Amino acid sequence: MESIIELEGLSVRFGKLEALKNLTGSFSGRAIGLLGPNGAGKTTLIHTLLGFYTPAAGTAKLLGRDIRKQDKETRALVGYMPERDSFIAGMTAVRFVRMMAELSGLPAEQALERAHEMLFYVGLGEARYRPLESYSLGMKQRAKLAQALVHGPRILFLDEPTNGLDPPGRERMIQLIKDIRDAGKVHVILSSHLLRDVEECCEQVLILKGGEIARFANLEEERQANKKFLELEIAGDAEAYVREVAALGCESARAGKRRIKMILPPELEIRSLYEVAARQNVQIRHLDYKRDSLQDIFLKAMDLESLGEANHGRA
Amino acid sequence: MAVHDRRYKPYTGETTALRSRFLVLPRYAFKDVFKSRWLVFFLGLTVLPPLIFGIMIYIRNNLDALDRLSQLGLDIGSFYSIDEGFFANFLRWQYSFAFFLTLFVGPGLVSRDLANNGLPLYLSRPISRADYVIGKLVILLTLSSAITWVAGLLLFGLNGNMTTWGWMFENARIGFAVFVGSFLWISLLALLALSLSAWVRWKVIAGFMLLAFFLVGTVVPQVINAFFRTDWGHILNAVQLVRIVTAKMLGTTPPDGPPFFACIIALAVMAGVCLLLLNRRIRAYQVVS
């Protein structure tokens, strides 16, 4: 699979502060979430990839293009929705999005057509002739998304896209991001401190801590792996039940009188657990997959003492 | 227009040349500039001096008109002649108009983008910081050029056409001075307007600061000159510096002030400071170390 972001010892300094420390890794997901506490370096990483900051050491490549040597070529491939309120005052939304499209290289007529299309797409069709300064926060967010998409980028950087939105506004934004992701034409890089946003939209997650990569995880693989971890609550002879399932290759541990935690071997189906229960005259009152949520992954990453081994992305 | 299909579709059409991409900025800015009736009225006013000077050239070179006026007792020949002084007078008018034009248009060009965090939107596209500044300079330089050196060279050409082409060759230094002097002045004005508005990020304050720069730049040198009994105080007066440079190039008597090359160096330093300021301010995000 084509690598969309390659980091090669990327470091960024602001005076004495080292904001990004020797980041190395290669990432190729359709939707990658950037997570981390405030000051972890999420926005700095996006800004560096966009060429706003010059790396102190190392470099990065977007779709194989070096951000230092081929900066304009690289920026032609990306769309960027900034975190902060960003617009050009005194312009209607359609004029604003059209100008941004032209700056990205679309001829004037196509730019106008795309501006209309994108504003309808993000749900601002009826308000597209209104000045941007008259927009609500949610509308401004969607106008920013429209300008980021208008030129048809291959990578879309979204920096805290749901910031300050009310629940319906957030839901609408998340739905748009999912739709863009599912269209399959754009790689989405979503930076957020809201785990729920990342969990809903992203397949992979890159967790930053103190300017370093704390963890790179494929959420789908994590979910698949977690399907082999079970929690059961039974009524009956737990000892005998555990003994018989152990003979099938299950590792188990008692977590109370009736509760059992279990790891299934890959070839064993859950049906076998019910068959054993029937033979032993044991009732399975409750069976659940252990869900290692993004929150667990994030919290584990934040607790890592040594970042050495996790300092390389596993894309 | 295909707005009925509301799914996301990538753009697959052609794109414009990367080198000329920055020209999108002046194109949009011109549309905004010409929305202002006051500015259109002002631009109309700036046409008056070239028109009057053009009529003067026509009369001076039209024997019939001169005869008729002399019959009325008006000896135009003794009033004025088409020489260096004539063009120096013309430039004095147009330099003032260029200043007020920059004062109206300049401060809003950058401050509007900076005040609303618009720069990340520009600079995340295939537009460099230099492209952005050049795009904004083009707006001011085009408008100011039209009323200074373009109008001046048209008058120069008109006189050449009405006398002999030999006059143009003999007085080529006038044409050169009109172009170079005007370009120095309007470039300095444009750089000052952009850098001040990038610095303060507020259109009104930037306008006041531009005005103050020239007012203070006129008063302070007078005080320095009086106190130290020298002419070198004018090194701080951008207006005087450009006047001296233009007069030297035209071959007319320059006003009091430092020598020609000192003026050139002082103007270069002023332009350098403006570029330095723009380099610090025109960034997607300010970094606080």
Side-chain angles (χ1 to χ4, degrees), chain A:
Chain A
M1 189 185 277
E2 185 187 21
S3 178
I4 59 160
I5 301 176
E6 284 173 68
L7 306 176
E8 298 168 3
L10 185 72
S11 298
V12 173
R13 281 183 165 280
F14 301 132
K16 286 178 185 172
L17 175 77
E18 197 170 11
L20 296 179
K21 298 169 189 166
N22 193 29
L23 303 189
T24 301
S26 176
F27 311 100
S28 57
R30 177 58 58 193
I32 302 172
L34 274 182
L35 277 176
N38 289 339
K42 307 183 294 289
T43 300
T44 305
L45 177 58
I46 290 180
H47 288 178
T48 308
L49 294 174
L50 288 167
F52 295 168
Y53 305 140
T54 310
T59 189
K61 286 179 181 170
L62 294 180
L63 295 166
R65 289 151 180 95
D66 194 302
I67 58 162
R68 300 183 86 159
K69 293 173 188 158
Q70 297 161 286
D71 57 340
K72 282 189 180 177
E73 267 181 63
T74 308
R75 287 203 296 272
L77 300 171
V78 305
Y80 171 53
M81 178 183 173
E83 177 186 359
R84 289 158 65 188
D85 209 9
S86 299
F87 62 96
I88 316 295
M91 276 193 179
T92 61
V94 72
R95 190 156 184 259
F96 163 66
V97 178
R98 181 190 182 181
M99 184 172 90
M100 290 298 146
E102 286 190 50
L103 285 171
S104 290
L106 272 69
E109 274 184 31
Q110 280 89 326
L112 180 62
E113 192 173 320
R114 286 283 294 183
H116 283 286
E117 281 178 9
M118 283 305 117
L119 287 166
F120 270 98
Y121 177 67
V122 299
L124 290 173
E126 300 302 318
R128 65 194 193 278
Y129 291 110
R130 269 173 55 185
L132 285 165
E133 51 266 45
S134 72
Y135 274 17
S136 67
L137 182 65
M139 292 167 88
K140 279 182 188 163
Q141 290 288 81
R142 281 184 278 152
K144 280 196 290 180
L145 181 61
Q147 65 79 31
L149 284 171
V150 69
H151 53 292
R154 290 185 59 197
I155 304 177
L156 179 65
F157 288 102
L158 305 172
D159 199 355
E160 307 280 0
T162 57
N163 238 9
L165 296 183
D166 57 9
R170 178 195 165 276
E171 199 51 49
R172 198 178 296 141
M173 181 61 74
I174 293 293
Q175 204 50 51
L176 280 169
I177 297 169
K178 282 184 192 173
D179 188 63
I180 294 161
R181 178 198 65 191
D182 295 340
K185 306 291 181 189
V186 190
H187 295 275
V188 177
I189 313 294
L190 170 67
S191 165
S192 179
H193 63 273
L194 300 172
L195 301 179
R196 207 178 134 201
D197 288 359
V198 174
E199 196 159 27
E200 281 187 50
C201 300
C202 301
E203 300 153 355
Q204 295 173 334
V205 60
L206 177 66
I207 302 173
L208 295 173
K209 182 186 176 187
E212 295 178 90
I213 296 175
R215 177 90 195 270
F216 180 78
N218 186 317
L219 291 179
E220 198 46 47
E221 281 174 14
E222 296 280 336
R223 284 177 197 133
Q224 288 295 331
N226 287 342
K227 281 188 178 170
K228 294 293 170 191
F229 290 81
L230 299 176
E231 280 184 353
L232 285 87
E233 194 178 319
I234 61 168
D237 187 354
E239 288 273 338
Y241 182 75
V242 166
R243 245 193 329 271
E244 194 168 340
V245 292
L248 296 174
C250 291
E251 288 179 45
S252 50
R254 299 279 296 276
K257 203 175 172 185
R258 293 177 165 189
R259 292 167 67 87
I260 304 167
K261 287 187 174 180
M262 207 174 273
I263 303 173
L264 296 188
E267 66 282 358
L268 195 71
E269 294 295 323
I270 291 175
R271 183 183 171 80
S272 309
L273 299 181
Y274 285 100
E275 286 167 358
V276 172
R279 281 199 296 275
Q280 294 285 342
N281 203 22
V282 165
Q283 292 175 8
I284 296 179
R285 295 262 174 96
H286 181 83
L287 185 148
D288 199 4
Y289 296 109
K290 178 180 168 284
R291 287 180 63 83
D292 203 4
S293 67
L294 181 57
Q295 188 172 4
D296 295 324
I297 296 170
F298 180 72
L299 291 174
K300 273 184 208 163
M302 290 300 102
D303 286 336
L304 278 178
E305 287 296 319
S306 166
L307 294 166
E309 63 183 45
N311 211 12
H312 296 274
R314 294 184 290 117

Side-chain angles (χ1 to χ4, degrees), chain A residues 72 102 104-105 114 147, chain B residues 9 16 27-28 125 131 285:
Chain A
K72 282 189 180 177
E102 286 190 50
S104 290
R114 286 283 294 183
Q147 65 79 31
Chain B
K9 284 176 291 177
T16 54
R27 189 152 52 76
Y28 274 81
R125 294 170 194 282
D131 289 338
Y285 290 102

Side-chain angles (χ1 to χ4, degrees), chain B residues 160-233:
Chain B
N161 186 261
M162 294 194 80
T163 52
T164 57
W165 291 111
W167 179 89
M168 282 178 79
F169 288 112
E170 284 164 23
N171 296 281
R173 68 179 292 176
I174 295 178
F176 178 76
V178 166
F179 174 69
V180 176
S182 300
F183 206 78
L184 270 177
W185 176 237
I186 62 175
S187 302
L188 183 70
L189 284 175
L191 282 172
L192 275 167
L194 292 191
S195 56
L196 288 174
S197 57
W199 186 27
V200 296
R201 298 177 173 222
W202 195 9
K203 183 183 170 182
V204 180
I205 300 293
F208 274 116
M209 285 186 73
L210 187 60
L211 201 59
F213 177 83
F214 287 101
L215 288 178
V216 173
T218 311
V219 175
V220 171
Q222 300 282 6
V223 175
I224 292 171
N225 287 345
F227 194 77
F228 293 104
R229 297 186 180 184
T230 176
D231 284 336
W232 278 85

